Amino acid sequence: MYMPFSLSAKFITAFCARNIVDLAAAMVADMASAEERRRSSKVVRPDALHVTSVMTKGRELAIVVEDGTLDDQALGALGYKQEFKRDFTLFESFSVSFSVLGLLPSIASTLGYGLGYSGTGGLIWGYLIAALFIQSTAFSMAELCSSIPTAGGLYYCAQVMAPPGWGPFFSWFVGWSNFCGFATGPCSVNYALAAMLITCGQITYPNYTPQTWHIYLTLLALLIMQGIVTMQSTRFIGWVSKIGTIWNLIIIFIFLIWFPVGSINSPKTAETHATWTTFENGTEWPIGWATIMGEKFLGRYSSRIHRTDIEAGFLTTIWTMSGYDAPFHLSEECSNANVASPRAIVMTSVSGLLLGWPIVLVIAYTVTNITDVVAGNYGQPFGSLCLQVLGQRAGLAMFALNIVAQFFVGQGCTITASRVVFAFSRDGALPGSRWWSHVDKRTKTPVFATWGVLTVAALLGLLMFASPVAIGAVFSIGAIAQYVSFTTPVALKLFFDNGRFKPGPWNLGRWSRSINAIACLWLLIIIPALCFPAVKGIDLTPLTMNWTALIYGGPMLLAMTWYGVSARKWFVGPRVNVEFVNGVEEVGSEGGSGSDEMMGEKR
């Protein structure tokens, strides 16, 4: 009668005993593994790796795997564990940023604003002067990247360089400004691309009448395609970016040769003196300021233009040359990052000058009627220019080549935006950070952040159903948000460094402070230029007003209000997620040193 119970008791006893033995064995194995990891790890000093780290303030040193690469050690010294695969080389990193730069597509997207404000003379001189100033910002950023090679390097640097007690505030400000610029990027670039595709339909089928929902569905299709590419592995993304770079270079050279040689006009090009000295003021301000400013309408052309609030800022140049920061955000996926990433930044900015200016010169020499280009029937100045110079069939072919290049611009924008969102979420600064900071185990890329960015783009695209002014708001944020986030860390370094900044392998040496100062001066010039209306007096109405200050300032005011009310209590800037040691007065940098120190997981 009691036999079953007796057997069951014996079985349970044996089962428990076996599991206790297994559990004990597992614990012993874990302890041995931990001890082995401890013996195979080492403490690293930021100074020895030429990085500027937030951990220096707390007298903490990161513990990294002893046989890890120098890139892994440098990232560990900054307080972050390695989560991505470092499959990018210098060329792949440059390829992404050059794709975002997208010289011909970017110049084409804002062509009407450069020509409409100040004519061919203003376009030529404005691009050259602005591109030279922008080099100071790019070189300053490259120096920061070499010392802080991490995806969130801009706001990370703001944290380190800020005056004592102000680190989290400036880190939050720079991070949110950078986020606002990149979160709107995929929408603005792909909206322009969708409009170009619709324009092709208008040119091919003259009876076709485009509808707003046609543009929106095209926008969604583009976002989905770019999302599928961006969620793949770093190696695959690198190959796509290389294809985009090669394509962009090919169409640049096709354009530079085909436009002047294949022009259907007689003469094929304009007279040199007139081209360089013709200034047509499309605003109600002096011609010098009209050449600089970025505006909402094009003065006397405004009655025939229905796209509003598109950023220009020193004509076409600011919008065109705003992708050179991509290698900074991709530095955790790049090998030899503290050298390759800053080099990629400089290569991109210099390419924007050396290849972008010839494009501008060809446009200035071949355009015959600025009014027809700026206020053409198709709503796409570059499309009108292609038809004006090459005729319908050849012009449509050139326009189509440019559209393919524009797709790679959107692709590069999406890749970079996803890394910006990942980095800021890793430090807990965005709602839903736990999701956006997730790295897919298979692809080793931030898949959730990718689709989060594209979802925001799709929602912003709905503004096109409200009004041109509403969708124009998306464009206005980009230029000012990016350059504020680019230059604020540079200004903090210039005025509040006090020896805290540790130059990396790529640095500006004794020219650092001078170049930093020029970058800050450039920001002071373009901020008011981005915010001035094109008209004044009785012509200034809600439709002709430049709402850039409100459009950028509104989201930033909300972000800073959130910081003042809540985030200041919990946001501490970059979050350390590696093991570290405290009490480091005697700790060396060799394997095993510091093994008796107190260990910590996170700050």
Side-chain angles (χ1 to χ4, degrees):
M1 176 177 180
Y2 295 103
M3 187 62 67
F5 175 79
S6 177
L7 290 175
S8 299
K10 290 180 180 180
F11 175 79
I12 292 172
T13 302
F15 179 80
C16 292
R18 182 177 178 181
N19 279 274
I20 290 172
V21 171
D22 290 344
L23 180 60
M27 292 176 64
V28 171
D30 286 343
M31 292 173 64
S33 177
E35 183 63 26
E36 178 64 25
R37 287 197 304 269
R38 181 184 292 273
R39 286 196 298 265
S40 63
S41 65
K42 70 175 181 179
V43 177
V44 292
R45 290 185 179 276
D47 290 353
L49 294 168
H50 305 288
V51 297
T52 304
S53 175
V54 295
M55 299 181 72
T56 305
K57 291 183 177 181
R59 302 179 63 80
E60 300 156 346
L61 295 181
I63 297 177
V64 300
V65 178
E66 188 168 14
D67 59 355
T69 65
L70 287 177
D71 288 311
D72 296 342
Q73 293 177 28
L75 187 61
L78 291 170
Y80 296 128
K81 61 183 178 181
Q82 183 68 46
E83 297 185 75
F84 297 115
K85 285 186 177 180
R86 291 188 180 268
D87 285 335
F88 280 171
T89 63
L90 169 61
F91 184 59
E92 279 88 357
S93 188
F94 166 73
S95 295
V96 175
S97 60
F98 191 79
S99 295
V100 178
L101 196 71
L103 286 173
L104 184 58
S106 295
I107 292 173
S109 297
T110 56
L111 177 62
Y113 299 84
L115 283 174
Y117 278 171
S118 51
T120 56
L123 181 67
I124 291 172
W125 290 109
Y127 191 97
L128 176 62
I129 295 171
L132 288 173
F133 268 107
I134 287 172
Q135 301 309 308
S136 65
T137 306
F139 276 61
S140 297
M141 180 186 294
E143 184 177 45
L144 297 180
C145 180
S146 183
S147 179
I148 309 174
T150 178
L154 290 173
Y155 69 83
Y156 191 110
C157 181
Q159 168 80 21
V160 179
M161 293 292 104
W166 288 88
F169 174 85
F170 280 104
S171 181
W172 181 271
F173 173 78
V174 171
W176 271 96
S177 186
N178 199 215
F179 170 76
C180 287
F182 269 110
T184 58
C187 177
S188 60
V189 171
N190 286 297
Y191 173 73
L193 176 55
M196 288 181 182
L197 290 168
I198 296 299
T199 297
C200 282
Q202 286 182 276
I203 296 173
T204 307
Y205 303 100
N207 295 326
Y208 166 60
T209 303
Q211 303 294 326
T212 302
W213 63 272
H214 297 171
I215 300 176
Y216 185 72
L217 290 182
T218 306
L219 169 66
L220 290 182
L222 293 169
L223 293 176
I224 291 172
M225 286 189 288
Q226 290 171 3
I228 292 173
V229 173
T230 306
M231 67 183 289
Q232 303 306 315
S233 67
T234 303
R235 186 180 297 276
F236 179 80
I237 292 171
W239 276 104
V240 172
S241 298
K242 286 191 286 189
I243 294 171
T245 295
I246 294 170
W247 182 266
N248 270 282
L249 288 171
I250 289 173
I251 68 160
I252 287 173
F253 289 111
I254 290 176
F255 174 82
L256 294 177
I257 297 171
W258 194 4
F259 243 58
V261 173
S263 175
I264 62 175
N265 302 309
S266 182
K268 292 181 179 294
T269 58
E271 191 266 330
T272 297
H273 182 268
T275 300
W276 287 70
T277 59
T278 298
F279 293 87
E280 298 185 17
N281 194 343
T283 75
E284 295 182 5
W285 302 98
I287 187 62
W289 188 243
T291 302
I292 294 175
M293 62 190 292
E295 270 324 314
K296 179 176 180 177
F297 283 97
L298 299 178
R300 62 173 176 270
Y301 302 124
S302 62
S303 62
R304 299 174 61 187
I305 295 179
H306 305 288
R307 294 177 305 145
T308 57
D309 275 309
I310 300 181
E311 69 279 19
F314 228 120
L315 302 177
T316 307
T317 324
I318 291 177
W319 176 240
T320 300
M321 296 184 61
S322 60
Y324 52 81
D325 62 314
F328 207 153
H329 306 299
L330 297 170
S331 57
E332 293 182 32
E333 300 166 74
C334 181
S335 58
N336 195 24
N338 56 1
V339 175
S341 294
R343 283 179 178 173
I345 292 172
V346 172
M347 287 169 60
T348 306
S349 67
V350 173
S351 298
L353 170 61
L354 298 182
L355 294 177
W357 201 43
I359 293 174
V360 166
L361 287 174
V362 167
I363 292 172
Y365 270 95
T366 56
V367 63
T368 58
N369 189 316
I370 292 178
T371 304
D372 286 347
V373 169
V374 172
N377 296 327
Y378 301 112
Q380 281 291 329
F382 187 70
S384 299
L385 177 68
C386 289
L387 298 182
Q388 184 182 105
V389 176
L390 299 177
Q392 180 162 339
R393 294 185 63 183
L396 185 60
M398 184 70 243
F399 193 49
L401 292 175
N402 180 69
I403 285 175
V404 177
Q406 178 82 352
F407 177 83
F408 287 109
V409 176
Q411 185 65 68
C413 236
T414 303
I415 293 169
T416 310
S418 66
R419 272 49 176 184
V420 170
V421 171
F422 160 80
F424 211 29
S425 298
R426 177 174 57 185
D427 295 318
L430 295 177
S433 288
R434 185 171 65 89
W435 294 97
W436 313 134
S437 61
H438 174 76
V439 176
D440 185 77
K441 293 181 179 179
R442 183 179 64 86
T443 64
K444 297 295 183 181
T445 54
V447 174
F448 290 170
T450 297
W451 290 107
V453 166
L454 296 178
T455 300
V456 171
L459 294 175
L460 290 173
L462 292 172
L463 292 173
M464 71 178 73
F465 293 101
S467 70
V469 175
I471 188 63
V474 177
F475 289 84
S476 294
I477 295 177
I480 192 169
Q482 293 292 62
Y483 273 89
V484 167
S485 65
F486 292 174
T487 313
T488 301
V490 176
L492 292 172
K493 172 181 172 292
L494 179 64
F495 295 108
F496 303 104
D497 177 10
N498 295 326
R500 289 174 294 175
F501 182 75
K502 308 301 179 185
W506 195 103
N507 62 79
L508 299 174
R510 62 191 179 94
W511 298 101
S512 179
R513 292 183 62 83
S514 300
I515 294 175
N516 292 170
I518 295 173
C520 295
L521 175 63
W522 171 241
L523 181 67
L524 294 178
I525 293 173
I526 65 173
I527 283 182
L530 284 164
C531 299
F532 257 70
V535 297
K536 54 186 176 181
I538 61 173
D539 294 329
L540 188 61
T541 67
L543 278 180
T544 58
M545 180 61 186
N546 183 351
W547 297 101
T548 300
L550 179 62
I551 293 164
Y552 170 67
M556 288 304 297
L557 178 62
L558 291 176
M560 299 315 295
T561 300
W562 181 19
Y563 179 83
V565 172
S566 173
R568 65 182 177 83
K569 302 174 184 177
W570 49 263
F571 180 73
V572 295
R575 291 180 175 178
V576 174
N577 63 10
V578 296
E579 290 184 333
F580 57 85
V581 293
N582 297 315
V584 298
E585 290 84 353
E586 302 297 330
V587 176
S589 59
E590 298 301 323
S593 62
S595 60
D596 295 328
E597 303 291 340
M598 184 182 299
M599 303 296 296
E601 281 289 337
K602 295 183 181 179
R603 194 185 315 215

